[in-house]
Amino acid sequence: MYVRDAKNREEVWLLDHIEEMGLDETAFRSRDYVIAIDEESGEKAGFGRIRIHKVEDDDDDRDEVCELTSIGVLENWRGQGVGAHIVERLIEYAGDDGFDTVYALTSEGGYLAQFGFRRIEESSLPAPLQDRLSDKRDGVDPDAVPHAIDVDRFRMPERLREAFKHAPEGRDEVSNEESAEDFGIDADSATYKYDTGR
């Protein structure tokens, strides 16, 4: 099992699962996502993204803030550390991009707390994330509250690291052949399933 950057051809797979799980697809770009993959079967187990928001400060300088969002694990892969490793990879990417803090707007604060995320006051959110929190509450996550973590304070619980190492054990063999559907093509009508605006 490993986590890698999403590929453009995986847009349809991502959109299908985001929709199925009722996750946020606002400003969707496949390049913002990572995907957890079982290296033996090629089966996709989960995904997540970081979203960068522009912030204007009082000096008319632009700055950016980083949001962790749209973490999803396929049902038959849950409880095996997949989500934890997706979060870990995204936090690493945020740190590599120079972010000291990563925000999350979610009702799943208990899950994130095990990594070091802490609940913060809405008033301490940067302006674009205050607007985003309002939008999330009006849409996909009515109980969302703000959380944050300093990138250097992230910690991976050992039990999740071990679960991830052994995630494929006892699973049935899965075919990793790609179909027309994986590329967003409806095989019956030869049209694209999703319009991604390109």
Side-chain angles (χ1 to χ4, degrees):
M1 182 68 63
Y2 65 97
V3 179
R4 64 155 169 79
D5 293 343
K7 298 176 181 175
N8 285 342
R9 70 174 185 256
E10 293 167 325
E11 283 182 351
V12 172
W13 182 89
L14 284 165
L15 286 165
D16 279 347
H17 287 87
I18 288 167
E19 181 181 335
E20 179 183 304
M21 294 178 192
L23 299 174
D24 183 15
E25 64 181 58
T26 305
F28 177 86
R29 295 184 321 177
S30 60
R31 68 177 178 233
D32 295 337
Y33 284 80
V34 296
I35 296 179
I37 306 284
D38 174 22
E39 62 242 21
E40 289 184 26
S41 68
E43 183 180 2
K44 298 174 186 89
F47 56 90
R49 85 183 272 204
I50 52 175
R51 183 172 174 204
I52 309 302
H53 300 269
K54 299 281 186 196
V55 179
E56 285 192 45
D57 65 23
D58 295 336
D59 299 326
D60 290 330
D61 291 334
R62 286 187 122 2
D63 204 3
E64 296 177 326
V65 293
C66 182
E67 176 195 7
L68 178 76
T69 186
S70 301
I71 307 299
V73 177
L74 278 63
E75 190 171 341
N76 57 347
W77 284 99
R78 292 181 185 156
Q80 300 179 63
V82 173
H85 281 78
I86 290 168
V87 171
E88 179 181 45
R89 177 60 52 91
L90 293 171
I91 297 292
E92 286 174 5
Y93 281 179
D96 291 347
D97 286 344
F99 290 99
D100 296 324
T101 303
V102 175
Y103 297 92
L105 310 172
T106 182
S107 58
E108 299 295 330
Y111 177 75
L112 293 177
Q114 65 188 328
F115 307 115
F117 277 85
R118 67 198 183 291
R119 185 168 175 181
I120 60 172
E121 294 297 321
E122 290 178 35
S123 59
S124 66
L125 280 173
L129 290 181
Q130 289 181 8
D131 294 340
R132 176 110 164 92
L133 178 60
S134 178
D135 291 345
K136 279 193 103 163
R137 286 178 173 163
D138 291 341
V140 296
D141 195 352
D143 299 321
V145 292
H147 297 82
I149 188 170
D150 295 334
V151 170
D152 60 356
R153 291 186 171 261
F154 177 86
R155 64 182 181 277
M156 173 67 76
E158 191 58 34
R159 66 183 167 74
L160 295 175
R161 190 167 307 286
E162 286 303 312
F164 189 71
K165 287 179 186 175
H166 305 292
E169 287 184 357
R171 296 187 50 81
D172 295 333
E173 195 66 33
V174 176
S175 170
N176 62 356
E177 289 184 23
E178 294 176 327
S179 68
E181 178 73 14
D182 292 326
F183 293 92
I185 300 170
D186 182 341
D188 295 331
S189 63
T191 62
Y192 286 96
K193 186 173 181 180
Y194 291 106
D195 177 9
T196 60
R198 292 186 187 174

